[in-house]
Amino acid sequence: MTALLDTPDLAARIRRFTLPIGLAVFSVIGTFGAARGQTDRHHPDALMVVLLLIAALALFWRNTRPVPVLWVIVAATLVYVLREYPWGPVIIPFVIAVFTTIRLGHRVAGWAGLISLYVGHVGGRIVLGLTQDGIYQVLLVGACFCVLGFLAELFRAHRERVMAAARTRKEEELRRAGEERLRIAQELHDVVAHHISLINVQASTALHLVDRQPEQAAPALAAIKDASKEALVELRSIVGVLRQSDESAPRQPVAGLDHLDHLVSRTARAGLEVHKIVHGDPRPLSSGLDRAAFRIIQESLTNVVRHARATSATVRIQYGEQALVVQVDDNGESLTAPPKEGNGISGMRERATALGGTLTANRTPAGGLRIIANLPL
């Protein structure tokens, strides 16, 4: 029961009913009180009460049917003023209806309601032969109606700016969430592809040696154990980020170029000889650039292990003044056709593009694959 009372829908319904009912009670009581000092006005009667109730209770539907509600209130208010009932809270429902109509985008109807009540009041007094107000009073009432309309327009414009800002924030949050999902997908692809490729190669080696040379199968099995352990640690770290859990899961620093030697030695266990060449003076890099450079090298070596049938690869890292250039060559099969781009190369290109850089995948003169990533500093 308590949960039902706390629901937003119930709170909205309570607010919807509170304003019309409260305003109806206030209008009737307030008008009777104001009538005591207005002996020149028409004495309160049953019709006055009915008009006040119609104007106030019509606000029940102000948000769902704003234009019909506005015209009902205009009609009730016009009859009230032409009957010369005492001045009082009767104008409040009309002000609320005008603000609501313009706020919800029915600007023409809102201004038409303002003009209709003003012209109907002035013209009705002339037609009915009622005592005319002075020209200054007529102009003052017209100025007040104009101010009311402009205030409603300002309120509408402010509301639209607030809603536009909220939409912009929502779109920005969705964009960032999409970028984060893409980054995590790339991380998962790189981690899984690299370690599973090494495990696959080492498992093939172990199966080949287990019967003929069982003593030489031990290093391959040890490499499988190490690769699977590292894969589990990295996967658990990534899943921990996804879950945003506070569990004390084993975590390791984000992989960067400082892990490159470990990557080279681990890849060498899969039978691929890797040479590392560094040009320029190594220096600290931003975390995003450092991680992207490492993942590009890792994915390039993974592709070599899985597809190139190569025996060696060369990793070149050049620290320039304006960019970090990463190049990975292999001595794979002699092919002249351009390499086919799968998830690996497209993922590396996305990493480079996200940093404002470029990535190319072409054949070397000897027929192997050459990956070159130019990453701005």
Side-chain angles (χ1 to χ4, degrees):
M1 184 66 180
T2 303
L4 292 175
L5 293 176
D6 293 337
T7 58
D9 291 341
L10 181 59
R13 287 197 294 269
I14 291 175
R15 288 195 300 270
R16 177 187 173 189
F17 283 88
T18 300
L19 175 64
I21 294 175
L23 185 57
V25 175
F26 173 74
S27 297
V28 174
I29 296 176
T31 302
F32 273 97
R36 297 177 182 178
Q38 302 181 49
T39 55
D40 58 329
R41 306 294 294 181
H42 194 289
H43 188 72
D45 56 18
L47 178 59
M48 183 198 77
V49 175
V50 171
L51 293 173
L52 290 174
L53 292 178
I54 290 175
L57 296 179
L59 294 176
F60 275 125
W61 300 275
R62 66 188 182 279
N63 290 318
T64 56
R65 298 175 182 175
V67 175
V69 166
L70 173 64
W71 289 115
V72 168
I73 294 176
V74 166
T77 306
L78 184 59
V79 173
Y80 183 96
V81 296
L82 292 179
R83 288 279 296 175
E84 294 190 312
Y85 286 121
W87 296 112
V90 64
I91 198 65
I92 296 178
F94 174 72
V95 172
I96 295 175
V98 169
F99 264 77
T100 302
T101 303
I102 294 180
R103 173 178 63 86
L104 295 178
H106 305 284
R107 301 170 63 189
V108 175
W111 281 100
L114 282 168
I115 296 172
S116 298
L117 182 58
Y118 177 71
V119 174
H121 176 225
V122 176
R125 296 186 70 85
I126 295 175
V127 172
L128 297 176
L130 301 177
T131 303
Q132 291 295 321
D133 297 326
I135 185 64
Y136 295 108
Q137 289 178 314
V138 173
L139 293 177
L140 179 61
V141 172
C144 291
F145 273 50
C146 289
V147 171
L148 174 60
F150 285 120
L151 288 177
E153 290 285 357
L154 289 175
F155 182 75
R156 178 194 60 80
H158 173 72
R159 180 174 180 270
E160 289 182 352
R161 286 195 299 270
V162 171
M163 293 178 64
R167 286 195 299 269
T168 301
R169 287 194 300 270
K170 183 66 175 178
E171 291 172 357
E172 180 67 15
E173 291 174 358
L174 292 175
R175 183 187 65 81
R176 290 181 178 178
E179 292 177 351
E180 183 65 13
R181 286 195 296 269
L182 177 60
R183 186 190 68 80
I184 293 175
Q186 290 173 336
E187 291 287 323
L188 283 172
H189 173 271
D190 293 346
V191 169
V192 172
H194 177 72
H195 290 92
I196 295 301
S197 296
L198 296 183
I199 291 173
N200 179 266
V201 171
Q202 296 294 347
S204 299
T205 303
L207 287 173
H208 180 72
L209 297 175
V210 69
D211 294 328
R212 301 178 182 179
Q213 298 173 314
E215 68 281 356
Q216 295 185 10
L221 295 175
I224 292 175
K225 178 182 177 182
D226 294 339
S228 60
K229 180 179 179 181
E230 292 179 11
L232 288 174
V233 171
E234 290 198 53
L235 285 174
R236 190 172 182 183
S237 297
I238 295 174
V239 172
V241 172
L242 287 173
R243 296 174 58 189
Q244 295 182 346
S245 62
D246 295 329
E247 300 174 1
S248 57
R251 296 178 183 269
Q252 62 182 22
V254 177
L257 292 180
D258 54 339
H259 291 67
L260 186 56
D261 291 336
H262 180 60
L263 174 64
V264 169
S265 63
R266 189 172 62 207
T267 308
R269 297 179 188 175
L272 181 67
E273 183 180 358
V274 182
H275 305 280
K276 185 184 75 170
I277 302 174
V278 179
H279 301 282
D281 298 325
R283 53 185 179 273
L285 305 173
S286 65
S287 60
L289 176 60
D290 192 28
R291 181 175 63 249
F294 177 82
R295 291 303 189 192
I296 288 173
I297 295 173
Q298 182 187 55
E299 180 61 24
S300 298
L301 295 178
T302 301
N303 286 341
V304 174
V305 172
R306 294 174 62 188
H307 306 299
R309 298 181 183 177
T311 58
S312 68
T314 302
V315 177
R316 289 184 173 86
I317 302 175
Q318 181 176 352
Y319 290 86
E321 294 183 0
Q322 298 181 350
L324 177 73
V325 180
V326 174
Q327 178 176 327
V328 181
D329 299 337
D330 67 69
N331 65 345
E333 294 181 344
S334 179
L335 299 173
T336 58
K340 294 182 179 180
E341 292 196 10
N343 293 330
I345 294 179
S346 62
M348 290 188 289
R349 179 170 286 111
E350 289 173 356
R351 286 185 182 274
T353 303
L355 296 173
T358 59
L359 185 138
T360 59
N362 297 302
R363 295 295 178 186
T364 65
L369 184 63
R370 171 173 292 169
I371 301 293
I372 300 178
N374 192 307
L375 308 175
L377 295 175

